[in-house]
Amino acid sequence: EREVNWGNNEYDLAYGMFIHYLRSGDMRAFYIAQEMATHYMNVDIQHYASNKFYEGVAWRHAIGHTGDYYSESPFDGKGYPRASVDLGHWVVEGIIMKYYLTGDIRALETAELVVNRYNRETMRDVYDFSNGRVPGWHLTAAMAIYGATLDPYHLNAANLIVERVLERQAPDGEWPRVLVPGHCYCDTPCIGSAAFMIGVLLDALAMYNHEVPSPEVERAIVNGARSLVDKAWDESRQQFKYTSCKNSTSYSSGHREAAILYAAQLANDERLYTVGYKILVDAVGRSSGGGKGL
């Protein structure tokens, strides 16, 4: 990841490979998924810590798994030398799928450890978030663990997340914020969003809607997808801009296709069908051997 970071299962390679195995029967995908899931749950997730704040965290991609081996990157400024427990980087579907397919109860226990840590640190006051992928990954994790346990505690957490997400959606369908460096370098930072983060959030809302059908959630998904296309889709390149910054020159694939196509189904929206298909074709054509892109 970024050439020198350990990826720490960002975007959940384990889950993707388990799904590919189930679709195809290709045992190579199963072995990749097993390796990634086992590594992720044993190495990249903190099971015990004297400071309980760190118990159950999934470490963000960094140099040397957890980071903090260097104060500055020894690789000409590349990568992330410092440790971080950014909530936008925690995924559990892959290890839950490991539990489903192998019966490894510890995989399920590890997933619950992570989700409980999510809830413990974010649900004690009014639930809020900084960017779309934070509630997106949290909601995905809550619904995944609810599917495995049917524990109403996890569904209640999901309900609280969705309630706040619907409150924060702007009338035009976007979830705007002040864009940070890396997403915007303008002297006066733009107000907007990173397209892939909105994709993560829309995917999570779709997952919730399958379990708890809601006209309000369906409207949020459709309006969010339309806003994403309006503000970030570049027809000439057949790609999305990385962010909605007015001066953004970065483009990317992935993390939007499923949500846009789901919104297209909900609204029978021909434009969303067309864009969803085009970005899917582009993403497949650009996929690489790296876990994150794959």
Side-chain angles (χ1 to χ4, degrees), residues 103-182:
D104 185 350
I105 191 67
R106 189 168 170 275
L108 180 62
E109 292 169 350
T110 301
E112 277 212 279
L113 178 72
V114 173
V115 176
N116 288 342
R117 164 59 176 76
Y118 252 133
N119 295 341
R120 187 173 71 243
E121 297 297 329
T122 62
M123 294 290 186
R124 292 181 297 187
D125 203 344
V126 176
Y127 181 80
D128 207 354
F129 55 91
S130 57
N131 61 63
R133 71 174 166 190
V134 171
W137 284 125
H138 193 170
L139 180 57
T140 296
M143 294 309 298
I145 203 71
Y146 174 70
T149 64
L150 298 182
D151 185 339
Y153 166 75
H154 297 301
L155 184 59
N156 188 48
N159 290 336
L160 293 172
I161 295 165
V162 170
E163 183 179 282
R164 185 66 176 129
V165 164
L166 296 183
E167 288 175 353
R168 287 277 303 269
Q169 189 174 30
D172 66 358
E174 192 176 29
W175 283 272
R177 65 187 177 101
V178 177
L179 295 177
V180 298

Side-chain angles (χ1 to χ4, degrees), residues 137-264:
W137 284 125
H138 193 170
L139 180 57
T140 296
M143 294 309 298
I145 203 71
Y146 174 70
T149 64
L150 298 182
D151 185 339
Y153 166 75
H154 297 301
L155 184 59
N156 188 48
N159 290 336
L160 293 172
I161 295 165
V162 170
E163 183 179 282
R164 185 66 176 129
V165 164
L166 296 183
E167 288 175 353
R168 287 277 303 269
Q169 189 174 30
D172 66 358
E174 192 176 29
W175 283 272
R177 65 187 177 101
V178 177
L179 295 177
V180 298
H183 294 171
C184 173
Y185 294 103
C186 298
D187 291 338
T188 300
C190 293
I191 305 295
S193 57
F196 79 95
M197 292 184 179
I198 301 303
V200 171
L201 178 54
L202 294 175
D203 274 339
L205 289 172
M207 196 173 178
Y208 177 84
N209 194 57
H210 285 304
E211 293 286 342
V212 189
S214 161
E216 292 79 14
V217 171
E218 291 187 2
R219 279 196 297 272
I221 293 168
V222 172
N223 291 339
R226 286 171 172 165
S227 173
L228 190 56
V229 171
D230 288 342
K231 296 187 177 188
W233 175 249
D234 187 326
E235 180 66 26
S236 66
R237 294 183 62 121
Q238 305 282 285
Q239 282 186 296
F240 279 96
K241 292 171 62 180
Y242 186 59
T243 77
S244 56
C245 167
K246 63 180 183 236
N247 293 316
S248 175
T249 57
S250 296
Y251 292 81
S252 63
S253 300
H255 265 316
R256 289 161 284 260
E257 306 88 342
I260 289 172
L261 290 169
Y262 181 64

Side-chain angles (χ1 to χ4, degrees), residues 73-95:
S73 172
F75 303 107
D76 296 324
K78 295 177 182 176
Y80 293 167
R82 306 313 299 259
S84 172
V85 293
D86 183 341
L87 291 172
H89 291 77
W90 301 10
V91 294
V92 298
E93 287 180 285
I95 53 179

